Amino acid sequence: MLRIADKTVVQGCRKEFKVQLKLFNNPKCFNRIPRPLYILDLLDCDMKGVYGFLMEFCVGGSVSAFAKRWCADGKYMSVDDTADDSEPSDSSSASDSDDHKDFDPMTLNPVKVCSLCVGMIECLADVFKAKPKLVHRDIKPDNFLVRVDPDSKKCTIVLADLGFVQIQDSISSSTSSQQIVSTDPARKKGKKEERRVVCGTFVFNSYEALVEGLQSQLSDAHSLGMSILSLFMCLPPFVGHPTLRGIEDAVLFVKKLSSLLTNGLTPKLSSSPLFKTLLTIDDGKYEPVHKIFDEVFTGLTLLDVDKRMSVHEARVKVQCIKPFLPTIGEDYDCPSIEAIIREQRKKYGGSVGTIEGMRCGVAGVEHEEGWDQSQ
């Protein structure tokens, strides 16, 4: 018998499973999401009260983690570049959080990073072909996974974490599933307090999502632009910004972040030292790539929604530079399932929720402790 507190957990699990299954059955985007298997109850493990569902196990991991392995070659380090001494924020998983620690983005191949960015753009554009129009509401590199075909070794980027997906026309501030509630003592004094409702990861969210709680495919486009920036910086956007540092209250954090966006302090892709190196490789061979990506990033992150570039427009833009870029995963030495199991056991001490799903060789278990959507 389920505890009362677990009913919400199971409902969230079933919702994401149904969305994933529906998209998988859509011929326009089934190749762009992890294959759903079935809902799993993990009460028999040592993690009591944790639920999840089985899905295809993507050997490449998240795009942010894959970039550290496939794009790293150390050829682009410059002695003139100053290291960023800011501390990275917590990521959505322990693995990705560890990947961010003490990692210098200047050790990455910027051309390969561009390939991954194009892959994310094409992946999201394919998912957005589905009808009715869907909004993901939590776009970030950690939610894009890299599928590796065991025979051809071909790598495909797929979109995961579909728990916040909704139909675009039905989204309003009253239907969003995550509420930001202030912990300010003024609440106890009976004073009226502004309540905002928003889904997703704050530092990737658009201005209209943060301020009004309204999210659309154009809001996802903004998050996609921020995801491109984070790949080149190897850090989430706004990390280490003095205005946001040390803020724990969610409402205050969103207020400060909204103020940054309103005042035009959106990060610029051209400020990334790694992105600048595109202009110096092979006597400026990749200057067209630099130009197009700068245009795409600027268009995706415009504050004015009416003028913002859509994901489909971004896809059309990057088609002309694909001949300059390598195929995703080219010459990538894909690890075996056994090697990943050994690595996970060493890293997490043999966590059953992670290992048992991998043991079958085709599926992994995705779970969050308690499935607390407020985090």
Side-chain angles (χ1 to χ4, degrees):
M1 181 178 295
L2 296 177
R3 298 192 301 272
I4 295 178
D6 294 330
K7 291 182 179 180
T8 304
V9 173
V10 176
Q11 289 174 357
C13 175
R14 287 175 176 167
K15 176 186 176 183
E16 180 165 354
F17 179 80
K18 288 179 180 179
V19 171
Q20 196 168 1
L21 191 63
K22 184 176 181 179
L23 285 178
F24 180 72
N25 291 328
N26 189 309
K28 289 188 177 182
C29 61
F30 76 93
N31 280 327
R32 288 299 192 176
I33 62 165
R35 294 177 174 88
L37 300 180
Y38 52 84
I39 296 176
L40 179 69
D41 180 351
L42 296 179
L43 280 177
D44 58 329
C45 303
D46 55 356
M47 300 174 292
K48 294 182 179 180
V50 178
Y51 297 80
F53 62 87
L54 284 176
M55 68 177 188
E56 171 193 3
F57 175 63
C58 296
V59 179
S62 69
V63 163
S64 54
F66 184 79
K68 310 294 190 303
R69 299 190 295 269
W70 179 57
C71 303
D73 54 21
K75 295 180 181 179
Y76 301 91
M77 180 72 70
S78 172
V79 294
D80 297 328
D81 294 322
T82 56
D84 183 5
D85 58 358
S86 60
E87 295 182 359
S89 64
D90 291 334
S91 184
S92 61
S93 67
S95 175
D96 291 327
S97 177
D98 290 341
D99 286 332
H100 283 313
K101 286 184 179 179
D102 301 325
F103 193 91
D104 190 343
M106 294 305 293
T107 61
L108 300 181
N109 184 322
V111 182
K112 289 184 177 181
V113 175
C114 287
S115 293
L116 290 177
C117 293
V118 170
M120 290 195 303
I121 292 172
E122 292 183 329
C123 172
L124 193 57
D126 285 342
V127 173
F128 280 177
K129 288 181 181 178
K131 290 185 179 180
K133 290 184 178 181
L134 301 175
V135 185
H136 186 275
R137 302 199 292 174
D138 193 16
I139 296 296
K140 56 184 177 181
D142 291 343
N143 286 341
F144 287 95
L145 306 180
V146 180
R147 173 189 291 152
V148 183
D149 185 90
D151 299 321
S152 65
K153 304 299 181 182
K154 178 182 177 182
C155 295
T156 306
I157 293 182
V158 297
L159 182 63
D161 199 355
L162 307 175
F164 286 149
V165 168
Q166 284 198 5
I167 298 174
Q168 177 166 310
D169 295 338
S170 68
I171 295 179
S172 67
S173 59
S174 61
T175 60
S176 297
S177 57
Q178 179 175 347
Q179 293 189 356
I180 305 176
V181 182
S182 175
T183 57
D184 192 293
R187 291 185 62 197
K188 300 178 180 180
K189 297 179 182 180
K191 294 183 179 180
K192 289 186 177 180
E193 180 189 85
E194 180 183 6
R195 294 175 64 89
R196 298 178 184 176
V197 183
V198 65
C199 284
T201 306
F202 297 152
V203 291
F204 289 93
N205 271 338
S206 63
Y207 175 79
E208 67 274 10
L210 294 171
V211 175
E212 304 173 19
L214 299 177
Q215 293 170 281
S216 65
Q217 289 188 350
L218 287 174
S219 302
D220 281 348
H222 180 279
S223 300
L224 178 62
M226 290 301 186
S227 299
I228 292 173
L229 175 69
S230 70
L231 282 187
F232 278 97
M233 301 294 290
C234 288
L235 287 172
F238 300 106
V239 166
H241 196 285
T243 305
L244 304 175
R245 191 174 295 165
I247 299 178
E248 297 182 359
D249 181 75
V251 169
L252 180 58
F253 183 91
V254 170
K255 182 178 180 180
K256 295 289 186 180
L257 180 55
S258 302
S259 178
L260 289 179
L261 294 174
T262 304
N263 295 326
L265 295 180
T266 308
K268 298 183 182 298
L269 186 60
S270 56
S271 65
S272 165
L274 179 64
F275 184 66
K276 290 179 181 178
T277 59
L278 285 171
L279 297 175
T280 62
I281 301 174
D282 294 343
D283 297 325
K285 174 183 177 181
Y286 296 100
E287 185 174 355
V289 178
H290 184 279
K291 179 182 178 182
I292 292 297
F293 258 99
D294 200 20
E295 290 179 4
V296 168
F297 175 80
T298 303
L300 289 173
T301 55
L302 285 176
L303 191 65
D304 190 340
V305 183
D306 295 329
K307 297 180 180 179
R308 187 178 301 160
M309 181 183 293
S310 69
V311 177
H312 299 288
E313 291 171 335
R315 181 178 192 169
V316 173
K317 276 275 190 182
V318 300
Q319 292 306 304
C320 63
I321 61 174
K322 286 188 68 175
F324 290 90
L325 307 176
T327 304
I328 295 177
E330 185 177 282
D331 300 324
Y332 173 63
D333 187 13
C334 179
S336 64
I337 297 295
E338 292 74 17
I340 294 177
I341 291 178
R342 287 195 297 270
E343 180 184 352
Q344 293 293 318
R345 279 178 174 163
K346 183 178 180 181
K347 197 170 188 178
Y348 300 109
S351 173
V352 180
T354 303
I355 300 302
E356 291 299 323
M358 294 183 192
R359 188 166 289 161
C360 65
V362 295
V365 178
E366 181 177 271
H367 65 272
E368 293 184 42
E369 204 163 308
W371 284 63
D372 184 2
Q373 295 182 345
S374 65
Q375 294 182 353

